[in-house]
Structures are given as structure tokens and as C-alpha cells.
Amino acid sequence: MKNQIWIRPLSCTLRRALSHYNRAIFGPQKNVNKVSFSRDSKLLATAGGLFVILWDVKSGVCLNTFSGHTKEVWCVDFAPFTNELASASTDKTIRIWDSVTG
């Protein structure tokens, strides 16, 4: 398996969420550069293309799509004690998003 790194097997829940995700992304987000789980592991944020997408891990449902960057989004992470997400892009901006309201 050249050029592949396996850290650990995916859980069934995560595998289901990513399966739903893969079917849904051929619109706004074709490449995923970074994923981040919320502190309680119920939400998954993905960064890629011009978007950050927020997913419900259990159901695999897209909860919100955050747009505003003008170039590729390379990083996303949850704030440790709030509902906020931070994303960074090659457009040299960092955006703060409320994961509940957008």
C-alpha cells in the first residue's frame, strides 16, 4: 500500500458518516484537506475546496455548509469550550464560525 498511512480502523459510525459524506460532496467539496471532531465526537467538520462542512457523525447528515473563503480551505478545528469552528485558507484569512447558527 504505497503512499497510504493507516492509523487505525474506522469505526462503523465514522465509516457510515464518511460514506454519506462521499455521496454528498460532489457539489461543493471534492477534496478534503482536514477533518476535525467536536469535543463530544458528535460532530465532524471537514475542510476542502472553498468550504467547511459540518456533519452529524451518527447519521452522516450534513448539518451546515460554511462558505466565505475565496481560496482553498486547508484547516478546520473546533474551539475547545465553545460552539465555534475556526478555518484557515490559502486566501490568507482565518474565519470563525458558530457551529450552531453558522
Side-chain angles (χ1 to χ4, degrees), residues 6-85:
W6 294 96
I7 296 173
R8 63 178 182 220
L10 294 175
S11 72
C12 290
T13 302
L14 177 57
R15 194 173 299 130
R16 187 175 342 115
L18 292 175
S19 174
H20 286 284
Y21 167 77
N22 284 333
R23 285 194 296 266
I25 64 162
F26 279 91
Q29 195 178 39
K30 294 182 181 176
N31 297 317
V32 176
N33 298 318
K34 176 82 167 50
V35 299
S36 179
F37 284 94
S38 62
R39 186 178 175 146
D40 61 6
S41 298
K42 292 181 180 180
L43 302 175
L44 174 70
T46 58
L50 302 178
F51 303 94
V52 172
I53 300 179
L54 186 65
W55 303 91
D56 178 275
V57 172
K58 188 173 183 178
S59 68
V61 172
C62 173
L63 300 174
N64 210 336
T65 301
F66 305 103
S67 60
H69 288 291
T70 58
K71 292 187 178 178
E72 188 81 15
V73 182
W74 280 100
C75 189
V76 65
D77 210 348
F78 283 89
F81 302 108
T82 67
N83 292 326
E84 294 176 326
L85 286 165

